[in-house]
C-alpha cells in the first residue's frame, strides 16, 4: 500500500478538494480492511490469542509514532477495536485491520497535515490487552499535582461505567480528586475532592481504602518509569509525571491498569 498512498497524496484533486480527499481515503481504508494477512502473521496472532483465557475478548488499541510529539498530542484521532476468538464478524484479524485503516481517516490526515507531519513516515502499532466490557469505573490519572506543582501528589479523574472522561456527553461531569503523597513513600497523606460524578448522584465512586490502594499502584508505576528516565535525563521526581489509564472491574472491583505514558 505504500506506493498507492503516495499516489493518492500526490493527486492534485486529492490536494485541492476536501470531498474528494475524504472519498479517496475512505476507499483506501476499505482496501486495507479487505486485504489478506500473511500466514506467518496469522499464526503469530493465533499464538498470542491462545495465551489469554478461553473466549476472552481482546482489545486492540491504536498506538502510532505520531502521537505525544512535542507540540502535537494526537489523542483520539485513531480507532481501537475488539477482537473475539472464533467470531467471524469480530475476529482479531478484522479488529487489527480496522485499527490499521484508521491511520488514514480524514480528520487524522488533516491534523497531521496542519502540524506538518510527514504523511509517509507514519506507522500504526497496536497495544493488545484483555477487553473489559463490563467495567464499573474508568479512570485517568496524572501522577503529579498539576494544580499545586510544589506539593507532591496525583490528580485522578474517574467516571461511572464506560462514559468517556476525555470526551464526555454534554452536561456530564466526572469525579476528580487529588491524593497528596509522602514524597518518600506510597503513603497517601490527604485526599482532596474537587468534584463528583453527575452519573452517580454526586456521590464518591471509590471508598477511601480503594483510593489508597489505587494510590499505591500508581506510585509504584511512577517509581518504575522514574528510575528508567532518571538514568537518562534526571528529572525532578515531584515534577515527573505519567498519564495512566485504568479500570475498575464490576464484579471484583479489581483495578486494571490499561496503559501508562510520560505526561
Amino acid at each position: 500500500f505504500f506506493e498507492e498512498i503516495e499516489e493518492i497524496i500526490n493527486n492534485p484533486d486529492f490536494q485541492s478538494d476536501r470531498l474528494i480527499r475524504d472519498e479517496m481515503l475512505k476507499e483506501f481504508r476499505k482496501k486495507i480492511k479487505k486485504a489478506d494477512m500473511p500466514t506467518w502473521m496469522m499464526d503469530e496472532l493465533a499464538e498470542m490469542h491462545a495465551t489469554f483465557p478461553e473466549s476472552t475478548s481482546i482489545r486492540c488499541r491504536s498506538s502510532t509514532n505520531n502521537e505525544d510529539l512535542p507540540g502535537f498530542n494526537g489523542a483520539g484521532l485513531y480507532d481501537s477495536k475488539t477482537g473475539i476468538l472464533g467470531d467471524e464478524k469480530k475476529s482479531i484479524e478484522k479488529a487489527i485491520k480496522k485499527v490499521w485503516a484508521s491511520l488514514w481517516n480524514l480528520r487524522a490526515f488533516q491534523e497531521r497535515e496542519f502540524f506538518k507531519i510527514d504523511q509517509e513516515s507514519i506507522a500504526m502499532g497496536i497495544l493488545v490487552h484483555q477487553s473489559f466490557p463490563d467495567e464499573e469505573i474508568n479512570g485517568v490519572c496524572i501522577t503529579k499535582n498539576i494544580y499545586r506543582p510544589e506539593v507532591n501528589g496525583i490528580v485522578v479523574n474517574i467516571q461511572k461505567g464506560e462514559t468517556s472522561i476525555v470526551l464526555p456527553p454534554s452536561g456530564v461531569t466526572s469525579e476528580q480528586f487529588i491524593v497528596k503523597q509522602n514524597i518518600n513513600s506510597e503513603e497517601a497523606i490527604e485526599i482532596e475532592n474537587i468534584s463528583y460524578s453527575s452519573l452517580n448522584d454526586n456521590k464518591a465512586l471509590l471508598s477511601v481504602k480503594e483510593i489508597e490502594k489505587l494510590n499505591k499502584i500508581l506510585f509504584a508505576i511512577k517509581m518504575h518509569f522514574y528510575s528508567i528516565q532518571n538514568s537518562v535525563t534526571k528529572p525532578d521526581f515531584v515534577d515527573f509525571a505519567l498519564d495512566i489509564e485504568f479500570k475498575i472491574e464490576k464484579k471484583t472491583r479489581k483495578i486494571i491498569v490499561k496503559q501508562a505514558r510520560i505526561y
Side-chain angles (χ1 to χ4, degrees):
F1 291 117
F2 288 106
E3 291 180 2
E4 184 165 346
I5 193 61
E6 184 177 11
E7 186 178 327
I8 289 171
I9 290 171
N10 291 323
N11 184 306
D13 292 334
F14 178 89
Q15 294 176 1
S16 61
D17 191 315
R18 184 183 181 279
L19 293 177
I20 292 176
R21 189 180 312 133
D22 188 17
E23 193 59 36
M24 291 180 77
L25 287 173
K26 193 179 295 181
E27 289 302 312
F28 185 62
R29 293 197 301 274
K30 285 181 183 178
K31 288 185 178 182
I32 293 174
K33 293 174 189 176
K34 290 179 180 178
D36 292 327
M37 279 190 173
T39 303
W40 67 264
M41 188 179 291
M42 292 298 296
D43 290 344
E44 290 193 10
L45 288 173
E47 287 180 20
M48 179 274 294
H49 210 163
T51 63
F52 289 89
E54 191 175 349
S55 73
T56 300
S57 298
I58 305 298
R59 190 67 174 166
C60 301
R61 295 169 62 89
S62 59
S63 182
T64 70
N65 64 348
N66 55 93
E67 295 173 89
D68 305 316
L69 304 176
F72 182 72
N73 185 295
L77 288 181
Y78 310 106
D79 296 338
S80 296
K81 297 293 180 179
T82 299
I84 303 171
L85 190 62
D87 188 319
E88 288 187 11
K89 289 185 178 180
K90 292 188 175 182
S91 68
I92 192 166
E93 175 190 359
K94 287 184 178 180
I96 286 172
K97 287 193 287 189
K98 286 178 181 178
V99 177
W100 281 341
S102 73
L103 195 63
W104 298 104
N105 70 65
L106 180 64
R107 181 186 162 210
F109 180 89
Q110 299 205 150
E111 286 214 22
R112 294 193 301 261
E113 198 74 359
F114 182 81
F115 283 93
K116 296 180 172 56
I117 294 171
D118 181 2
Q119 299 284 0
E120 295 177 53
S121 71
I122 63 171
M124 175 70 76
I126 294 177
L127 170 67
V128 179
H129 62 71
Q130 181 180 345
S131 176
F132 299 96
D134 196 23
E135 63 190 43
E136 179 75 14
I137 296 165
N138 77 95
V140 177
C141 166
I142 305 299
T143 61
K144 78 171 181 179
N145 191 338
I146 57 176
Y147 295 112
R148 294 183 62 193
E150 73 281 2
V151 178
N152 192 47
I154 60 175
V155 177
V156 180
N157 282 273
I158 55 176
Q159 186 55 280
K160 188 175 183 178
E162 296 183 28
T163 303
S164 174
I165 293 170
V166 180
L167 297 169
S170 177
V172 173
T173 57
S174 63
E175 179 174 337
Q176 185 178 79
F177 55 85
I178 300 170
V179 181
K180 297 175 184 176
Q181 297 171 322
N182 183 326
I183 194 169
N184 297 313
S185 75
E186 59 194 18
E187 177 190 357
I189 298 174
E190 181 185 345
I191 300 167
E192 180 183 342
N193 293 302
I194 297 174
S195 64
Y196 293 104
S197 168
S198 58
L199 302 181
N200 197 49
D201 297 326
N202 291 308
K203 297 175 184 176
L205 286 162
L206 296 177
S207 68
V208 172
K209 282 189 176 181
E210 286 176 321
I211 292 174
E212 289 175 345
K213 184 177 180 180
L214 175 65
N215 177 63
K216 288 182 179 181
I217 292 170
L218 298 175
F219 185 85
I221 295 171
K222 177 172 178 175
M223 285 297 294
H224 172 76
F225 280 92
Y226 177 77
S227 64
I228 296 171
Q229 197 71 16
N230 193 42
S231 64
V232 182
T233 60
K234 303 192 183 311
D236 176 69
F237 180 78
V238 173
D239 187 56
F240 177 75
L242 298 167
D243 177 353
I244 299 174
E245 293 182 43
F246 62 92
K247 293 177 181 286
I248 309 290
E249 280 192 302
K250 182 166 282 188
K251 293 179 181 179
T252 64
R253 292 191 72 87
K254 182 179 179 182
I255 298 168
I256 307 290
V257 176
K258 291 165 56 180
Q259 72 172 15
R261 57 189 177 188
I262 292 176
Y263 175 68

